[in-house]
Amino acid sequence: MTFAIHGLAVSRGIAIGRAVVVAASRIEVRHYFIEASQVTAEVARARAARDAVIDELQRLMSDLPEDAPGELAALLEVHLLLLQDEVLVGGVRQWITERLYNAEWALVTQLEQISRLFDEMEDPYLRERKADLEQVADRILRRMRGLASSAVPAAPPQVEDGTQPPLLDASSEAPLVLVAQDLSPADMLQFKRSVFKGFVTAVGGKTSHTAIVARSMDIPAVVGARAASQLIRQDDWIIIDGNAGIVLVDPSPIILEEYRFRQRHDALERDRLARLRHTPSVTIDGQKVELLANIEQPSDAAAAVHAGAVGVGLFRSEFLFMGREGKLPGEEEQFEAYKVALQGMQGLPVTIRTIDVGADKPLDRGSKELSLNPALGLRAIRWSLAEPAMFRTQLRAILRAAAFGKVNLLFPMVSHMHEVHSILAQVRLAQAELDARGATYGVVQLGAMIEIPAAALIVRSLLKHFDFVSIGTNDLIQYTLAIDRTDEAVAHLYEPLHPAVLGLIAQVIETANDMHKQVCVCGEMAGDIALTRLLLGLGLRSFSMHPAQILSVKQEVLRADIRKLQPWAQIVLIADDPASLMEAGK
Ligand code: PEP
Ligand code: MG
């Protein structure tokens, strides 16, 4: 029977497919696809881990002291039986061979399947065996950690438009959609350009990084769909309505037909927009508006150029640093990555933001809990300044890449003037280090992100030292309204049109324009077509967003007359309820 789960609409479009449920496990595990050629080795790795645990338990059994309680031996026996159970062993093998999951992912998926069976059992004794099964799985996962993976996490299978995904077995040619409790930014990257046609997570807010990466992939996503990962089962057919924030499970044929119709309609709309790709972005009254792309990886440059971006307004470099289990990329590796992004942009400018980790973007899974209040902790530029050697490695790599194209260097979460002085000193030092080596490097423009209210309020002082500013509305809203951007429980209070937020944005744009300095918005507000006219009316001429949003925003720009929008924007700015005036700007 069809049922619906409500969440937040974070990435437009409709996806229909079979659910791949990523089970939450007590131990943090990585999820990635292996290559078909690695299946045998991966199955062997899973088996070796299982065999090692069997050995360990057998040793424990034989070493049990005489006076050990009988229950202990019985328990170990149960664990040994479970370890040899074909349902567990065969299931893991199947997920690896048929779906190309890495061994850990295969194990937690199978564990979840079996857990559901246990939940349905009448007999309380058998139901309780679920806990034993979890302990056994934990032991195997710990063993797997010790056993080198047969594969470096393989890049997810690349799917060119329209081609069949390579990872599916013949029996499951249906499109796949991913359902999870939560996905780390690192997991999202693994899944980028994979076979998945949509995402559903149980947690997350509108500007959580799961949402941002889904938007950058331009695939439908719903986050904050509570209990989705419990209510949806492996291989259930689901519809993800990324426009309305609804997930429909087990849809009836009539509902399916309706959504297929909507899918076709969306596709036609996209084709129509694609015709605007080469149209210059100019308003009716002749004002040029710069439309830039936000990217997470160098390879995203292709999508940016394809969408007609005139540059990259935000390269979130932290994605190069994530999920590497402590081994951060060195100068050479980073230099190559930045160079690839520049070359990909074919001579167009690229704004590279220095590493912005912390809060909802931990470097590795599991490292989030280190601070009690991570959003207010040692994150972004604060972390870079606390780790000057790491920071200068990144600065040197960016400066060297700047010899290959136009680079703007952007610093996240600046809030104090003494940070500005430290940043500039580190840049000079990095240049001196390159000079000492005789290395070639380029000239860069320096900019600050405005994403903390304090920074917005001192923007005039900041712009005495920086060439440009970029407004990060995702964090600016979070910090102005004290709303955790990743927490679905307060998502209804996350309001871009709050008068306080608009006041800060307007002040930054006005000050920068007044000082003849560049100002851009690179938060999610820049890609929201409901806000394009307002931002234009407030004086913004540079927007940076996911490539997938560029053409829709361009359409708004082409229809806008700034002479009319300016007076209206000033009224919106002083209104108690700006949202009620938005219709009037159309
Ligand atoms: C922002 O805060 O608006 C921003 C662009 O940075 P991020 O989303 O990466 O925190
Ligand atoms: Mg930010």
Side-chain angles (χ1 to χ4, degrees):
M1 205 186 56
T2 309
F3 63 95
I5 306 172
H6 291 257
L8 299 168
V10 293
S11 186
R12 64 180 187 172
I14 294 187
I16 303 174
R18 282 199 184 274
V20 171
V21 183
V22 174
S25 64
R26 295 188 302 182
I27 295 189
E28 294 285 354
V29 299
R30 300 182 69 190
H31 305 92
Y32 53 87
F33 292 109
I34 57 167
E35 306 281 351
S37 60
Q38 294 161 334
V39 164
T40 316
E42 197 67 358
V43 170
R45 188 165 76 90
R47 195 181 312 117
R50 198 259 330 230
D51 291 350
V53 176
I54 293 182
D55 277 358
E56 183 187 322
L57 294 189
Q58 278 170 342
R59 258 200 320 278
L60 267 176
M61 284 271 275
S62 55
D63 293 349
L64 270 186
E66 298 265 304
D67 55 351
E71 290 85 355
L72 200 54
L75 203 69
L76 287 173
E77 253 163 42
V78 170
H79 283 202
L80 279 166
L81 280 176
L82 288 170
L83 278 164
Q84 289 161 66
D85 192 315
E86 185 50 29
V87 181
L88 182 69
V89 180
V92 169
R93 191 172 48 235
Q94 208 172 345
W95 291 113
I96 297 175
T97 45
E98 290 186 6
R99 290 283 173 87
L100 299 184
Y101 290 0
N102 62 308
E104 289 85 348
W105 186 6
L107 178 63
V108 290
T109 307
Q110 188 55 18
L111 178 67
E112 207 241 356
Q113 297 275 85
I114 305 175
S115 297
R116 287 184 192 257
L117 295 179
F118 275 108
D119 285 342
E120 283 159 15
M121 283 175 184
E122 299 275 314
D123 182 337
Y125 172 80
L126 285 178
R127 259 205 323 266
E128 277 165 24
R129 299 289 60 80
K130 189 174 140 181
D132 293 308
L133 185 70
E134 281 168 353
Q135 285 169 20
V136 162
D138 282 1
R139 277 181 191 272
I140 304 180
L141 284 171
R142 288 208 174 85
R143 281 285 166 169
M144 279 177 183
R145 265 196 199 158
L147 295 168
S149 167
S150 59
V152 199
Q158 301 279 320
V159 184
E160 296 302 327
D161 284 349
T163 57
Q164 255 319 308
L167 74 81
L168 299 179
D169 68 344
S171 62
S172 56
E173 273 172 11
L176 298 179
V177 292
L178 193 74
V179 178
Q181 174 66 17
D182 191 12
L183 288 170
S184 70
D187 272 348
M188 283 299 282
L189 275 193
Q190 295 285 351
F191 292 135
K192 214 165 166 173
R193 289 200 195 80
S194 65
V195 289
F196 296 117
K197 303 287 185 228
F199 286 94
V200 180
T201 60
V203 300
K206 270 203 177 231
T207 53
S208 63
H209 284 83
T210 310
I212 287 179
V213 177
R215 271 197 289 278
S216 82
M217 295 157 74
D218 197 20
I219 63 171
V222 172
V223 304
R226 290 193 185 176
S229 57
Q230 278 104 51
L231 297 174
I232 301 173
R233 298 178 176 221
Q234 297 290 353
D235 283 332
D236 272 353
W237 273 98
I238 62 171
I239 297 173
I240 301 174
D241 183 343
N243 307 320
I246 298 174
V247 183
L248 293 161
V249 186
D250 200 6
S252 66
I254 296 177
I255 295 179
L256 260 179
E257 195 36 55
E258 164 65 17
Y259 274 91
R260 290 224 157 93
F261 171 77
R262 291 196 206 176
Q263 255 185 333
R264 286 194 293 275
H265 181 268
D266 281 0
L268 285 177
E269 180 62 17
R270 280 174 203 218
D271 287 349
R272 202 178 55 73
L273 276 179
R275 293 189 217 130
L276 296 181
R277 222 188 114 201
H278 299 293
T279 310
S281 167
V282 180
T283 60
I284 292 175
D285 55 326
Q287 303 251 11
K288 281 196 194 135
V289 178
E290 185 179 51
L291 301 182
L292 303 159
N294 289 357
I295 65 171
E296 274 93 44
Q297 287 175 309
S299 55
D300 295 340
V305 171
H306 184 74
V310 295
V312 167
L314 174 65
F315 177 176
R316 289 183 162 98
S317 71
E318 55 275 13
F319 283 86
L320 299 175
F321 291 73
M322 284 175 189
R324 302 178 53 115
E325 280 154 14
K327 284 187 233 93
L328 300 186
E331 181 181 322
E332 229 30 60
E333 185 181 338
Q334 287 190 55
F335 163 67
E336 285 301 329
Y338 304 137
K339 198 169 94 179
V340 170
L342 276 162
Q343 287 167 340
M345 289 309 293
Q346 306 168 4
L348 296 168
V350 176
T351 299
I352 304 174
R353 181 176 71 183
T354 60
I355 184 166
D356 179 8
V357 289
D360 60 321
K361 284 182 285 189
L363 275 182
D364 287 303
R365 276 187 150 270
S367 55
K368 329 187 195 198
E369 299 85 24
L370 291 180
S371 157
L372 271 183
N373 208 342
L376 305 183
L378 192 68
R379 60 170 293 197
I381 196 65
R382 302 167 182 183
W383 188 61
S384 292
L385 290 173
E387 299 279 344
M390 180 284 302
F391 188 35
R392 280 205 310 285
T393 301
Q394 180 170 36
L395 292 176
R396 287 193 305 271
I398 297 174
L399 289 167
R400 284 174 55 200
F404 294 83
K406 186 167 169 5
V407 171
N408 303 314
L409 182 46
L410 180 60
F411 302 98
M413 307 263 321
V414 176
S415 56
H416 293 266
M417 287 312 290
H418 60 76
E419 286 169 341
V420 177
H421 302 305
S422 305
I423 291 168
L424 298 179
Q426 290 295 328
V427 173
R428 282 193 297 271
L429 211 52
Q431 284 166 333
E433 284 166 350
L434 291 173
D435 284 335
R437 259 201 243 158
T440 315
Y441 62 93
V443 182
V444 294
Q445 299 275 302
L446 302 180
M449 291 280 292
I450 305 295
E451 44 191 346
I452 299 179
L457 295 169
I458 60 162
V459 67
R460 190 169 287 279
S461 305
L462 292 173
L463 276 172
K464 287 183 191 147
H465 301 275
F466 287 111
D467 303 302
F468 69 98
V469 286
S470 193
I471 308 176
T473 51
N474 308 338
D475 279 314
L476 189 61
I477 297 169
Q478 154 162 278
Y479 294 123
T480 305
L481 303 181
I483 302 299
D484 182 341
R485 64 192 262 190
T486 65
D487 186 349
E488 71 281 5
V490 286
H492 61 291
L493 298 173
Y494 190 92
E495 178 50 270
L497 288 173
H498 189 292
V501 173
L502 290 184
L504 289 172
I505 293 173
Q507 180 182 333
V508 172
I509 296 172
E510 192 186 334
T511 308
N513 287 343
D514 188 42
M515 294 174 78
H516 303 289
K517 299 267 181 151
Q518 284 290 322
V519 52
C520 177
V521 169
C522 65
E524 297 300 299
M525 280 177 78
D528 183 346
I529 51 170
L531 303 174
T532 311
R533 286 158 185 255
L534 180 61
L535 292 170
L536 287 170
L538 292 175
L540 188 74
R541 299 291 177 268
S542 177
F543 296 65
S544 193
M545 67 207 83
H546 300 297
Q549 297 162 323
I550 289 180
L551 293 176
S552 313
V553 172
K554 191 187 275 186
Q555 180 165 266
E556 289 299 303
V557 170
L558 296 172
R559 291 174 181 162
D561 184 341
I562 293 183
R563 291 163 304 188
K564 292 191 188 138
L565 293 176
Q566 263 165 349
W568 163 72
Q570 290 309 310
I571 297 170
V572 175
L573 204 53
I574 53 168
D576 289 347
D577 181 14
S580 65
L581 300 178
M582 293 306 282
E583 274 299 307
K586 290 205 169 148

